[in-house]
Amino acid sequence: MKILFIGDISGPDGIRAVKENLNKIKVNESIDFVIANGENTTNGRGLNLQDYELLCSYGINFFTMGNHTWFHSDNPIVLDKDNIVRPANLDQNEMISKYGHGFKRIMINNKWFTIINLLGNSVTTKFNKTNPFLWLNKFLNENKNDDYIIVDFHAETTSEKNAFFLEFKNRVHAILGTHTHVQTADSKLVDNTLYITDVGMTGNSLGVIGASPKTIIEMFKEERQFFKLEPNIGKYQFSAVILELNENKNKNISIKRILITEN
């Protein structure tokens, strides 16, 4: 079995990259199921209903999210869909915790897969969240019957992602880092756990991690205090990984990086 996981889809160029590349990859690589992180899809923040339906029509089967999940007014409608998870480790006193689910169990090729979305401690948010290490440890102690567990760990620092991998290797089947938008070269299989620090971004290849560079550069030059996050428009890149597993033995075989840049 092969599962394709697409890194943070960001803005119109990210949507176009999916449209132009996904079907070819599915055919050439014999992909069985497609998961994508969609938290930056709609103009760089969140995923609205229109873009959700468009990406589904292009062949994405399931979505994970991140810290920009709750940016659009139709968010409760999107998060109510059966094929999407938002970060699980929200403080239950936060109103946003009432919408959607942090993990879901789905059937793929007669196997039960649990897909989990977690925010790292290193991600700055305007809302309260709980510790992802403690959340996942509790979850795994209480749920021992899953055939296959995939975790999208949406975190800022490479150190936190590496520590998370070392803590949970051999307890989950895949830990896929997202959020930093730069694909790392450390994909590996250790103790039956597939890992990469960051899957990378699917979006504009010439911006600042997909965003328009002007106000970001001005901020770094101390010419302004805050930047304006908006997608850059131009040539795209498509970042993803392919997870291959032996579904009869619940054993992983390999993780393969994909990085396609528009000519």
Side-chain angles (χ1 to χ4, degrees):
M1 182 191 303
K2 289 185 177 181
I3 295 174
L4 179 73
F5 187 99
I6 303 172
D8 304 50
I9 300 172
S10 184
D13 285 340
I15 296 173
R16 187 166 61 88
V18 172
K19 179 181 181 180
E20 295 183 7
N21 291 278
L22 180 54
N23 189 62
K24 291 182 288 186
I25 294 171
K26 289 172 71 174
V27 171
N28 294 338
E29 297 285 353
S30 300
I31 300 297
D32 296 287
F33 197 80
V34 180
I35 306 170
N37 184 291
E39 75 122 9
N40 295 125
T41 299
T42 303
N43 295 321
R45 290 184 177 180
L47 174 63
N48 68 15
L49 183 60
Q50 179 179 348
D51 288 339
Y52 162 84
E53 292 176 341
L54 189 61
L55 290 174
C56 286
S57 74
Y58 293 157
I60 293 176
N61 303 114
F62 199 95
F63 296 87
T64 58
M65 297 295 284
N67 55 300
H68 289 307
T69 298
W70 303 272
F71 199 76
H72 298 281
S73 60
D74 56 4
N75 170 253
I77 299 173
V78 175
L79 292 182
D80 193 46
K81 302 295 184 181
D82 292 332
N83 63 340
I84 188 168
V85 288
R86 47 79 172 159
N89 57 322
L90 300 176
D91 188 311
Q92 294 304 298
N93 292 318
E94 293 284 353
M95 181 58 65
I96 56 174
S97 71
K98 312 304 178 187
Y99 303 107
H101 301 276
F103 69 92
K104 285 193 175 178
R105 292 182 174 90
I106 59 173
M107 183 74 77
I108 308 174
N109 289 9
N110 296 317
K111 289 287 185 179
W112 281 109
F113 280 67
T114 296
I115 302 174
I116 302 171
N117 194 192
L118 289 170
L119 283 176
N121 290 315
S122 54
V123 177
T124 302
T125 63
K126 294 181 179 179
F127 52 85
N128 294 316
K129 59 185 184 296
T130 62
N131 187 291
F133 289 77
L134 301 181
W135 189 98
L136 186 56
N137 186 64
K138 182 176 185 292
F139 177 88
L140 295 175
N141 287 337
E142 295 175 352
N143 299 270
K144 301 180 181 298
N145 297 320
D146 297 296
D147 293 316
Y148 204 85
I149 300 174
I150 297 174
V151 181
D152 174 350
F153 190 42
H154 201 75
E156 186 77 42
T157 64
T158 55
S159 57
E160 185 180 13
K161 293 178 183 180
N162 274 254
F164 193 82
F165 163 65
L166 293 173
E167 175 68 9
F168 293 107
K169 65 181 175 65
N170 207 30
R171 298 184 68 191
V172 301
H173 296 84
I175 297 173
L176 308 174
T178 58
H179 181 64
T180 53
H181 287 210
V182 178
Q183 188 179 87
T184 55
D186 62 341
S187 52
K188 54 194 169 189
L189 169 60
V190 179
D191 293 342
N192 201 41
T193 298
L194 298 171
Y195 173 75
I196 186 169
T197 298
D198 202 283
V199 178
M201 176 203 62
T202 296
N204 183 266
S205 61
L206 298 177
V208 177
I209 57 174
S212 178
K214 184 179 185 298
T215 61
I216 298 174
I217 293 173
E218 289 173 350
M219 183 191 69
F220 281 122
K221 290 166 62 179
E222 300 181 357
E223 295 174 355
R224 61 189 296 147
Q225 187 173 2
F226 303 105
F227 65 88
K228 184 178 181 180
L229 181 62
E230 54 187 10
N232 206 44
I233 303 297
K235 296 185 182 298
Y236 66 68
Q237 67 183 51
F238 182 101
S239 302
V241 291
I242 297 174
L243 313 177
E244 185 174 3
L245 61 141
N246 183 330
E247 57 197 286
N248 296 321
K249 297 182 179 180
N250 293 343
K251 292 290 185 180
N252 283 308
I253 298 173
S254 66
I255 179 170
K256 174 183 176 180
R257 285 178 282 121
I258 294 177
L259 179 58
I260 299 170
T261 55
E262 187 177 22
N263 292 329

